[in-house]
């Protein structure tokens, strides 16, 4: 695979991706990764006791201004590998005892990921993405991915446009999450309490956006029966967020309580709620080409 005219993500930029970066994601045609190692800071049903085999892909088609993995998503840090090497990395992680293979931000490399998963893996595959997906791309992964771990970042075009340059975020994320749920069905756990298949929707509460978070929880409750919710409070002003007035601070206790209380009121009991104290840089992995 030497070139790709790319329409994998909702940007549909039609870029000719070759050996060097192109298009909105800034990446070439071959997968580029910054770290591949057991990861212990995902939700408990994913990390378990032996860790999740997290493969962090470089580049991003969404590029949120507050991304905690800014070095990867915006600056493209990482090493380019072949599809064959990517599959080898999966099995090296499995040999270390990880519970699953966790593909972190894989959307813009869906073509390579699909090829790397042909033949299946002996552990569940987790598609860990920003939720900004084309249904057509997700359908190409059916049968190869057992667990979807998408964000649902925004519901309003204003927020999506201001913070991620994607006013159409929810227009694509809503049907994408429905497609994920169609593929997996409700969450299933194995005998050890680890996720075997299903969808866990993550939502990060942003400063000044508590009411939008409430609307997002309403949508999940009404439209996505069977998914679990992971409500996240780990926001810190990373990347370019310090230059956006309302994002240059942490969450307040009042904002956190407003959203967490609403989740409980809705009866969304299957899932996880991060404590407000989780906003700490110690949870960010070291991107140093480990395992690449």
């Amino acid at each position: 695979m030497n070139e790709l005219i790319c329409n994998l993500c909702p940007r549909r930029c039609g870029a000719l991706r070759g050996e060097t970066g192109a298009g909105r994601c800034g990446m070439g045609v071959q997968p580029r990764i910054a770290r591949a190692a057991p990861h212990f800071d995902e939700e408990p049903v994913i990390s378990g006791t032996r860790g999740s085999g997290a493969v962090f892909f470089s580049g991003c088609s969404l590029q949120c201004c507050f991304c905690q993995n800014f070095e990867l998503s915006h600056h493209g840090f990482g090493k380019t590998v072949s599809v064959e090497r990517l599959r080898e990395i999966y099995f090296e992680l499995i040999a270390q005892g990880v519970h699953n293979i966790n593909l972190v931000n894989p959307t813009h490399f869906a073509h390579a990921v699909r090829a790397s998963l042909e033949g299946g893996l002996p552990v569940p595959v987790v598609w860990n993405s920003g939720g900004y997906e084309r249904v057509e791309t997700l359908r190409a992964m059916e049968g190869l991915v057992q667990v979807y771990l998408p964000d649902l970042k925004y519901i309003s075009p204003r927020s999506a446009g201001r913070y991620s340059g994607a006013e159409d975020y929810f227009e694509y994320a809503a049907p994408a999450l429905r497609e994920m749920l169609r593929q997996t069905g409700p969450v299933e756990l194995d005998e050890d309490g680890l996720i075997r298949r299903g969808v866990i929707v993550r939502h990060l509460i942003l400063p000044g956006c508590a009411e939008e978070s409430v609307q997002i929880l309403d949508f999940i409750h009404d439209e996505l029966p069977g998914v679990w919710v992971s409500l996240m409070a780990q926001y810190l002003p990373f990347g370019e967020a310090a230059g956006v007035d309302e994002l240059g601070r942490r969450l307040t206790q009042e904002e956190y309580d407003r959203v967490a209380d609403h989740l409980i009121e809705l009866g969304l009991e299957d899932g996880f709620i991060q404590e407000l104290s989780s906003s700490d840089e110690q949870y960010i992995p070291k991107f140093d080409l480990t395992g690449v």
Side-chain angles (χ1 to χ4, degrees):
M1 186 183 300
N2 297 318
E3 291 183 334
L4 170 73
I5 298 176
C6 190
N7 288 295
L8 290 170
C9 84
R11 303 286 191 188
R12 303 186 71 178
C13 65
L16 180 62
R17 290 170 61 183
E19 293 302 317
T20 58
R24 293 296 293 269
C25 66
M27 292 289 106
V29 69
Q30 296 291 350
R32 186 173 179 85
I33 58 180
R35 180 181 175 87
H39 188 52
F40 294 89
D41 293 324
E42 306 287 33
E43 288 75 3
V45 295
I46 294 175
S47 289
T49 57
R50 300 194 302 272
S52 176
V55 180
F56 289 86
F57 290 91
S58 307
C60 184
S61 56
L62 198 53
Q63 297 196 335
C64 306
C65 68
F66 53 84
C67 181
Q68 70 176 21
N69 299 343
F70 203 83
E71 185 180 7
L72 279 63
S73 61
H74 288 245
H75 296 159
F77 173 79
K79 179 181 177 181
T80 300
V81 300
S82 66
V83 169
E84 293 75 20
R85 174 59 189 149
L86 183 58
R87 186 168 176 84
E88 287 177 359
I89 288 170
Y90 301 158
F91 281 94
E92 289 169 6
L93 290 169
I94 292 168
Q96 295 177 56
V98 298
H99 299 294
N100 47 65
I101 293 299
N102 182 358
L103 307 171
V104 184
N105 193 28
T107 303
H108 52 296
F109 288 120
H111 59 292
V113 168
R114 188 181 191 284
S116 73
L117 293 174
E118 288 294 345
L121 296 180
V123 297
V125 174
V126 181
W127 184 273
N128 181 344
S129 78
Y132 190 52
E133 310 270 13
R134 292 187 64 208
V135 167
E136 294 83 354
T137 299
L138 293 173
R139 285 180 181 157
M141 306 307 301
E142 186 166 6
L144 300 174
V145 171
Q146 290 73 46
V147 178
Y148 284 100
L149 184 63
D151 293 334
L152 185 51
K153 296 177 182 291
Y154 317 106
I155 203 166
S156 81
R158 181 188 179 279
S159 296
R162 181 166 173 77
Y163 305 142
S164 297
E167 292 185 355
D168 59 357
Y169 176 87
F170 186 73
E171 176 186 334
Y172 281 94
L177 268 61
R178 293 189 184 102
E179 171 62 18
M180 294 173 186
L181 182 58
R182 182 196 69 78
Q183 289 186 23
T184 70
V187 169
E188 296 179 11
L189 305 181
D190 66 15
E191 60 275 9
D192 297 318
L194 299 170
I195 192 165
R196 179 161 50 198
R197 64 185 302 108
V199 181
I200 301 177
V201 179
R202 285 174 165 173
H203 174 65
L204 174 66
I205 310 168
L206 295 176
C209 297
E211 291 309 311
E212 183 164 357
S213 293
V214 165
Q215 294 175 37
I216 286 171
L217 293 177
D218 287 340
F219 170 80
I220 295 171
H221 174 270
D222 295 343
E223 301 292 337
L224 300 172
V227 308
W228 284 21
V229 179
S230 181
L231 187 62
M232 306 177 75
Q234 66 186 43
Y235 177 83
L236 286 170
F238 286 104
E240 299 171 345
V244 181
D245 289 344
E246 66 270 26
L247 294 185
R249 62 171 176 83
R250 300 185 184 214
L251 293 177
T252 66
Q253 186 69 51
E254 182 180 9
E255 289 170 327
Y256 174 80
D257 291 344
R258 171 73 177 103
V259 182
D261 289 348
H262 190 67
L263 180 141
I264 294 169
E265 290 167 5
L266 289 173
L268 292 172
E269 299 175 352
D270 291 327
F272 308 93
I273 303 177
Q274 275 188 338
E275 296 180 356
L276 190 56
S277 59
S278 62
S279 57
D280 193 309
E281 292 189 31
Q282 68 173 321
Y283 298 110
I284 302 173
K286 183 179 292 186
F287 299 120
D288 56 3
L289 303 182
T290 295
V292 180

